[in-house]
Amino acid sequence: MPYKGITGKLTILDGAAARTADGYQGTPVAYISNWSVEETRDVVEITQLGEKSKEILPSLLYWSASAEGAADFSDGAQQALRKAMTEGTPVNVRFYLDSETYLDGTAYVTAFSVNISAEDKGGVSISLTGSGELKLTPTVGGGASDTGATEQHGI
């Protein structure tokens, strides 16, 4: 089933909140209108002298993400993301496709931009770089209990 924007959201871990059964209680980041997560794999070239074509092997995985929306600094989550960027501290993030399907991991906020114009609302743009694995839940090919097929990506 295709996912729709109405079921998506972005949350960050709120240490003061009660935990869910899986140990995570995230605070939604208010007014986010879109987010994007990109997973990338490095490759290592192993071409031998005299070969006409490159030969490569897969190497490390890493991920990055971005989110955009309306700026609202009365929202504690937007403030927390900006503070994490200025202080260089990691944040735990969860990107929901729907209530049961999400990507989560730990990331550093690498950019936090605010913009405003005369004819539009104030906007915020947030860039994150993952540190460690990015997990997909539920797992590929099954429900959340199928831990053997969980997609895990690490640096």
Side-chain angles (χ1 to χ4, degrees):
M1 169 165 107
Y3 301 105
K4 299 174 236 157
I6 196 165
T7 61
K9 67 180 175 179
L10 168 61
T11 64
I12 62 170
L13 184 65
D14 182 354
R19 306 278 178 163
T20 61
D22 73 350
Y24 184 94
Q25 175 60 50
T27 301
V29 182
Y31 302 110
I32 294 300
S33 56
N34 67 74
W35 58 257
S36 172
V37 176
E38 180 176 353
E39 297 177 275
T40 306
R41 178 180 291 279
D42 283 339
V43 294
V44 177
E45 185 178 335
I46 58 167
T47 307
Q48 296 180 43
L49 291 174
E51 294 292 323
K52 294 181 182 181
S53 300
K54 283 186 179 184
E55 190 173 347
I56 61 168
L57 289 176
S59 184
L60 299 174
L61 291 165
Y62 59 98
W63 63 277
S64 61
S66 63
E68 295 179 337
D72 181 3
F73 289 109
S74 66
D75 174 51
Q78 286 190 19
Q79 287 184 28
L81 287 166
R82 183 180 179 279
K83 182 177 180 182
M85 195 261 322
T86 60
E87 294 180 359
T89 57
V91 292
N92 294 307
V93 291
R94 185 169 282 184
F95 300 89
Y96 284 89
L97 294 163
D98 63 27
S99 63
E100 297 178 355
T101 309
Y102 52 84
L103 296 150
D104 65 343
T106 301
Y108 287 89
V109 180
T110 53
F112 191 97
S113 303
V114 179
N115 63 69
I116 195 162
S117 69
E119 52 287 320
D120 202 2
K121 65 188 178 312
V124 65
S125 179
I126 304 157
S127 298
L128 303 130
T129 300
S131 178
E133 66 184 350
L134 180 67
K135 295 181 183 178
L136 171 63
T137 303
T139 57
V140 174
S145 63
D146 181 11
T147 58
T150 301
E151 299 235 333
Q152 296 183 354
H153 301 276
I155 294 178

